[in-house]
Amino acid sequence: MAAFKSRLLTNPLLVPRLVSADGKMTALYIPIEKTANGKQIADQVKQLVSEEKGPEQFYLAGDPVARDTFGAEMFRQMALFSPLAGAVMVLVLFLMFRNWNLVFANMAVAMVSILWAMGLFIGLGIPIHIMASMSPVFLMAISTDTVHIFNEFYFRFREVGEKREAILATMGAVGTPIIYSDLTATAGFASLGIGPIIPVRIFGFLVAFGTLVILLMSFTLVPALMALMSEQRLTRRGLKGSSHAARSVAWLGKLGELVIRSNKVVALVAGVLLVTAIVGVARVRINNNMISWFKERSTVRTADRVLNENLGGTATLYLVARATREDVMKDPAVLRSLEGLQRYLESKPLVG
C-alpha cells in the first residue's frame, strides 16, 4: 500500500486531478449527455452515497450540477413570486383606484396574455428556460394599458353621461397611443431574438407575443367589460372620481409651479444624478460564475469550495494552439513558447 500510495502521489497526471496532494481526497468524474439534467443525476448520486455508513464525506460539484440546481431553484421561486407579484399589483391598483372592476379587467388581460403566450410556446414544444420563467411578471406590468383605458373612460363618462358613447370616445382617444406603445414594446422584446443565446431569444419572443395579446385584449376584452358595467355605479364613481381628480390636479399644479420657480436647481440636481449614474455604469462588472449566485453555506457552494481547495478544480477551460503549418510543433521556439504559457498559467492562483 505504501508503494501504491507513492506511485499515485508522484504521478503528475493524477495529482491533483484524481487524487489530492495529501492523499485524503479522490475524485470520480461522471460524464453525462448534453441533454441530461445535472440536478437529477446529482440527486441520484446523493441517494446512492446516503446508503454508505462509513466516515467518508461526499461532495458533488461541477457546472451541470450548479446550472441545473440553479434552474430548478429559479423555477421554484418564480412559482412563488409570480403570484406574489400579481397580488401586489391587485393591492396597488385597488388602493389607487378603489375600483374592483378596473382591478379585475387589468388582471384578466394579464392572465390571458400569460396563458396564451406560455401555452403557445409549450404547445410548440419549445422549452421554457430560466429567463422565460420570468415572463409572467413582465406581462403583468405591461398589461397596465387597462389602467389608462379605464381612467379615460371614467373621464369621458362624466362628460357625455352615456356608456356607449363614452366607450367609443375612450377608444378613439387612447387607441393610437396604446397601439404605438405596445408595438414599441413588442419590437423591443422581439429584438432579443436576433441574439445567439437561446434562452434570451425565447424570453424575447414570448414577451413580444404576450404584448401583442395584451394589445388585442385592450381592444376586445376591455371594452366588453366596460360595456357590462352599470351606469348607476359609473355615475357614483364619477362623482367620487371628480373630487379625487381635483385634489390630484391641485397637488400636481403646485409641484409644477415649484419646478418652474426652481428650474436651475432641478436642472443641477438632474445633472448630478446623471453624472453619478454614468460613474456607476462604468463600474459594472460582468460575472457569469454561477457558483457565486448560491449562498455561502449552500451545499453546492460548499462542495465547490472543498473540491477547489483539494483538487484541480471544478471548472474546465481549454486553450487550443493551432499551427499554420504541419511541422511547426518541431520548432523549439514554438515548444518553448507553449511551455512558457503553461508556466504562466500555473502561477495563477485560480488555476488548479
Side-chain angles (χ1 to χ4, degrees), residues 11-20 26-29 310-313 352:
N11 189 334
L13 295 179
L14 301 180
V15 180
R17 293 172 178 83
L18 291 175
V19 182
S20 62
T26 185
L28 297 175
Y29 291 88
N310 293 274
L311 297 170

Side-chain angles (χ1 to χ4, degrees), residues 237-270:
R237 169 67 187 173
L239 294 175
K240 294 180 181 178
S242 58
S243 60
H244 177 71
R247 290 194 299 269
S248 301
V249 169
W251 182 83
L252 290 172
K254 293 179 180 178
L255 177 62
E257 292 175 1
L258 176 63
V259 170
I260 293 173
R261 289 197 305 267
S262 310
N263 51 8
K264 293 182 180 179
V265 175
V266 173
L268 178 62
V269 171

Side-chain angles (χ1 to χ4, degrees), residues 19-327:
V19 182
S20 62
D22 58 6
K24 294 181 179 181
M25 178 177 285
T26 185
L28 297 175
Y29 291 88
I30 304 175
I32 64 176
E33 299 287 342
K34 287 185 178 180
T35 56
N37 187 302
K39 184 181 185 303
Q40 293 178 359
I41 295 174
D43 290 341
Q44 294 175 14
V45 175
K46 289 177 183 177
Q47 180 64 31
L48 288 174
V49 300
S50 66
E51 301 172 1
E52 299 295 326
K53 305 300 181 183
E56 297 84 7
Q57 289 181 291
F58 296 87
Y59 299 95
L60 280 160
D63 181 66
V65 175
R67 181 184 63 246
D68 293 328
T69 301
F70 178 80
E73 182 67 18
M74 185 72 177
F75 277 109
R76 189 184 69 82
Q77 291 192 14
M78 290 310 300
L80 170 66
F81 284 107
S82 291
L84 185 61
V88 170
M89 282 193 63
V90 168
L91 178 62
V92 171
L93 287 172
F94 180 74
L95 291 177
M96 289 175 62
F97 296 96
R98 307 285 180 172
N99 189 317
W100 285 112
N101 291 324
L102 186 149
V103 173
F104 172 76
N106 188 91
M107 298 313 296
V109 170
M111 292 303 105
V112 169
S113 66
I114 292 169
L115 290 173
W116 282 24
M118 300 288 279
L120 173 66
F121 277 67
I122 295 172
L124 293 175
I126 300 174
I128 301 299
H129 297 88
I130 296 174
M131 282 198 67
S133 70
M134 296 186 291
S135 57
V137 178
F138 283 79
L139 293 175
M140 279 190 281
I142 298 172
S143 68
T144 50
D145 283 356
T146 309
V147 174
H148 304 295
I149 298 174
F150 269 80
N151 191 57
E152 182 70 19
F153 173 61
Y154 291 131
F155 174 75
R156 296 287 177 174
F157 185 80
R158 288 199 302 269
E159 278 191 338
V160 300
E162 202 277 319
K163 184 168 60 176
R164 177 182 172 82
E165 291 298 324
I167 294 174
L168 294 175
T170 296
M171 301 314 297
V174 303
T176 301
I178 287 177
I179 290 174
Y180 283 142
S181 63
D182 283 350
L183 289 181
T184 302
T186 300
F189 282 105
S191 66
L192 297 175
I194 64 176
I197 304 175
I198 299 299
V200 176
R201 295 171 63 182
I202 293 175
F203 167 76
F205 285 136
L206 197 154
V207 178
F209 177 75
T211 304
L212 291 178
V213 174
I214 291 172
L215 177 60
L216 176 64
M217 293 298 105
S218 297
F219 286 88
T220 54
L221 179 61
V222 174
L225 292 175
M226 290 191 296
L228 293 173
M229 297 174 66
S230 167
E231 290 198 3
Q232 290 78 11
R233 295 186 63 182
L234 287 173
T235 302
R236 292 196 298 269
R237 169 67 187 173
L239 294 175
K240 294 180 181 178
S242 58
S243 60
H244 177 71
R247 290 194 299 269
S248 301
V249 169
W251 182 83
L252 290 172
K254 293 179 180 178
L255 177 62
E257 292 175 1
L258 176 63
V259 170
I260 293 173
R261 289 197 305 267
S262 310
N263 51 8
K264 293 182 180 179
V265 175
V266 173
L268 178 62
V269 171
V272 171
L273 292 176
L274 177 62
V275 172
T276 304
I278 293 174
V279 173
V281 169
R283 296 171 63 87
V284 170
R285 296 294 179 267
I286 298 173
N287 177 18
N288 61 351
N289 180 11
M290 196 171 293
I291 298 298
S292 64
W293 299 351
F294 291 88
K295 291 183 177 180
E296 185 71 27
R297 297 187 178 182
S298 65
T299 303
V300 172
R301 195 159 179 175
T302 299
D304 186 82
R305 181 170 57 253
V306 171
L307 291 175
N308 275 292
E309 289 173 351
N310 293 274
L311 297 170
T314 59
T316 304
L317 174 68
Y318 292 95
L319 294 179
V320 180
R322 297 187 181 276
T324 56
R325 61 181 192 276
E326 292 183 3
D327 60 344

